[in-house]
Amino acid sequence: MKRYFLALLIIQILFSSCHHENHNVIQSFCFWKTNLSFDEKSDSLVNDLKLKHFYVRYFDLDWNPYRKQAQPLASIQSIYFNKTNCQFTPSIFITNDVVLNSTKVQLDTLANRIYNRVFAISDAYFTQSASSYANQIVSENYEKQNGENKKMMDTEPIVVKRKLELKKNIQDILIDCDWSEKSKENYFYLLQKIKIKFPNYKIEATIRLWQYKYFEKTGIPPVDSGLLMCYNMTNPESRKTENSIGTNNDLEKYIVHNKYNLKLNVALPLYSWSLVFRGDKFKGILSNDIDFTKDESVFKKSGDNRFILIDDVRVGNMYLRNGDEIRIEKISNSELEDMISTLTDKIKIDNKTRVTFFSFDKKYINDYGTQNISNYYSQF
């Protein structure tokens, strides 16, 4: 009898140690283009995927060596969510050169400039969206009226109320920077200044995999949460690389502990690209809309994800030569599932964890399928 209970106890212990509790994570996507313009198909994808959140890239900051200061680049031109109503996080990418070369005084100024630019872009979105909403309400109200004494409602109160509602959709700001051990002091100083400028918002910072693994050297940023970037794991410009976007084997080399003392959200890849090599030299990235299997007179398959050019040809804006090699990179469903398993084994996941995919593009979403993507979320 004692042996029976001992065996039962061992089975229970083994079961509990292997059991992974799934959570209702916050389902998110990244939008990284300069023009966010949703249509009915976009709204439909948001609904099908049950998305609750977006990271929206607002602008980049790079170092201008001539003016010796940070310079904004590639600002988002418009934000139009159509009927989608999700929370979203304004995201700012800052190059390591900016934090390396800036003085403390410049960083103080930069925090203020970031605040002003984020406020201006957000306010333009609030105003445009609220005005469009108010005009629709007024128009519908006017059409419902009968007789000669039809009156137009005043749009201003509707706009004011709607703007207040829209502002609730922004709860935090993401700062994206691949900081180094050398730039750590300046970068953390900038983050502290940004937190002061945004007292009513949470501040989140991206965490590269190497920064996670070697946190004792790189430090943990003084923010409210981190976004762990689980893609772009190896050098895409090396011809020897099989898949620079990432593999679970690559991920396992970084997720080796659970000692990171910061609440982490997770970003995973949901995209593909084609890389061109001439000999061992990287030549560029091709459009992902090309099907290399369709024209065997130009493209010859040379491996699982590789093609050789057998003729000179122009593809998009790039001229390719006979002998050039193309490497197609995409992460398979099974590989993504293995990566999720690796993450959930070490990273603390709860119902407040955001799981986001890069990036929100109809082609990528259709390639993977909404059902597969929904299954990825459910595995957390």
Side-chain angles (χ1 to χ4, degrees):
M1 181 65 70
K2 288 183 178 180
R3 289 182 179 179
Y4 170 78
F5 283 115
L6 180 60
L8 183 63
L9 179 61
I10 292 172
I11 290 171
Q12 289 177 332
I13 292 171
L14 289 173
F15 177 79
S16 61
S17 65
C18 295
H19 177 66
H20 165 62
E21 179 185 356
N22 295 104
H23 301 86
N24 294 318
V25 296
I26 299 171
Q27 300 180 190
S28 171
F29 255 89
C30 298
F31 190 93
W32 238 242
K33 299 178 182 179
T34 56
N35 183 23
L36 191 160
S37 182
F38 277 17
D39 54 20
E40 290 184 2
K41 290 183 179 179
S42 304
D43 293 335
S44 179
L45 288 174
V46 171
N47 291 329
D48 290 345
L49 291 167
K50 296 180 173 60
L51 301 184
K52 302 298 182 185
H53 175 268
F54 281 90
Y55 288 97
V56 178
R57 190 195 61 81
Y58 267 28
F59 57 90
D60 299 343
L61 286 168
D62 199 1
W63 184 253
N64 186 321
Y66 304 102
R67 301 181 65 182
K68 298 190 183 301
Q69 65 177 24
Q71 175 179 319
L73 300 170
S75 293
I76 194 164
Q77 299 300 306
S78 63
I79 302 175
Y80 178 66
F81 278 110
N82 200 31
K83 296 179 181 179
T84 292
N85 186 26
C86 285
Q87 288 194 352
F88 70 94
T89 301
S91 307
I92 299 96
F93 173 72
I94 304 174
T95 66
N96 196 39
D97 283 342
V98 168
V99 287
L100 272 175
N101 293 305
S102 296
T103 65
K104 290 293 197 300
V105 173
Q106 286 179 311
L107 293 174
D108 291 341
T109 302
L110 183 59
N112 191 58
R113 289 171 60 195
I114 289 172
Y115 170 80
N116 290 337
R117 199 169 188 86
V118 169
F119 178 86
I121 294 173
S122 300
D123 191 61
Y125 158 67
F126 296 145
T127 301
Q128 183 276 328
S129 184
S131 297
S132 178
Y133 174 82
N135 289 334
Q136 182 179 351
I137 296 294
V138 169
S139 177
E140 290 174 354
N141 177 269
Y142 185 80
E143 291 299 322
K144 290 178 182 178
Q145 298 178 43
N146 297 313
E148 298 179 356
N149 297 321
K150 297 169 76 171
K151 293 182 179 180
M152 296 290 289
M153 295 172 61
D154 184 4
T155 59
E156 185 175 354
I158 303 173
V159 169
V160 171
K161 182 180 179 181
R162 185 60 175 170
K163 285 182 71 172
L164 290 174
E165 293 171 351
L166 291 170
K167 286 180 179 180
K168 295 177 182 178
N169 284 342
I170 299 180
Q171 300 289 327
D172 53 3
I173 310 295
L174 174 70
I175 305 299
D176 180 10
C177 179
D178 190 6
W179 84 90
S180 62
E181 190 175 355
K182 187 176 180 181
S183 64
K184 174 179 66 176
E185 180 182 345
N186 268 8
Y187 180 54
F188 289 4
Y189 176 86
L190 175 62
L191 289 174
Q192 290 170 334
K193 293 300 178 180
I194 290 173
K195 286 193 72 172
I196 293 172
K197 294 301 298 184
F198 290 92
N200 299 321
Y201 298 86
K202 301 290 186 181
I203 302 300
E204 186 171 22
T206 54
I207 311 296
R208 301 303 193 275
L209 289 171
W210 74 274
Q211 293 163 344
Y212 173 89
K213 180 177 181 179
Y214 302 108
F215 73 95
E216 293 175 342
K217 290 184 177 181
T218 62
I220 297 178
V223 291
D224 300 292
S225 62
L227 180 61
L228 187 63
M229 312 289 278
C230 302
Y231 52 90
N232 291 352
M233 299 184 196
T234 52
N235 181 14
E237 298 185 12
S238 171
R239 189 172 183 177
K240 296 179 181 179
T241 298
E242 284 300 317
N243 192 337
S244 64
I245 296 174
T247 66
N248 187 54
N249 286 337
D250 292 327
L251 184 63
E252 287 179 330
K253 296 174 184 177
Y254 293 99
I255 308 299
V256 295
H257 63 77
N258 58 358
K259 300 176 183 178
Y260 206 83
N261 190 25
L262 182 67
K263 166 64 181 173
L264 291 176
N265 298 310
V266 175
L268 286 163
L270 204 76
Y271 65 94
S272 60
W273 56 17
S274 302
L275 310 174
V276 180
F277 294 86
R278 186 164 298 153
D280 288 331
K281 187 175 181 181
F282 174 72
K283 297 301 293 183
I285 300 174
L286 291 177
S287 165
N288 54 26
D289 295 327
I290 302 164
D291 186 350
F292 299 103
T293 63
K294 285 186 175 181
D295 194 346
E296 295 183 356
S297 66
V298 178
F299 304 105
K300 179 181 178 182
K301 192 172 179 64
S302 60
D304 289 340
N305 63 334
R306 296 175 188 255
F307 290 83
I308 296 290
L309 269 290
I310 54 178
D311 197 0
D312 295 348
V313 64
R314 176 175 176 172
V315 179
N317 295 322
M318 189 177 297
Y319 289 95
L320 305 181
R321 297 178 184 172
N322 185 356
D324 287 354
E325 183 179 67
I326 298 170
R327 185 177 74 225
I328 302 170
E329 296 188 349
K330 178 183 177 181
I331 297 184
S332 67
N333 290 324
S334 59
E335 196 75 35
L336 269 171
E337 290 174 350
D338 288 343
M339 291 168 70
I340 291 169
S341 179
T342 296
L343 289 168
T344 55
D345 186 51
K346 289 286 193 296
I347 306 298
K348 182 181 178 181
I349 305 294
D350 56 36
N351 292 339
K352 294 182 179 180
T353 302
R354 283 186 196 140
V355 174
T356 193
F357 287 98
F358 185 91
S359 63
F360 191 80
D361 184 292
K362 293 185 183 72
K363 180 191 183 303
Y364 300 145
I365 293 172
N366 290 331
D367 282 349
Y368 280 90
T370 55
Q371 186 58 56
N372 282 332
I373 299 169
S374 296
N375 288 339
Y376 301 150
Y377 288 122
S378 69
Q379 290 174 41
F380 282 92

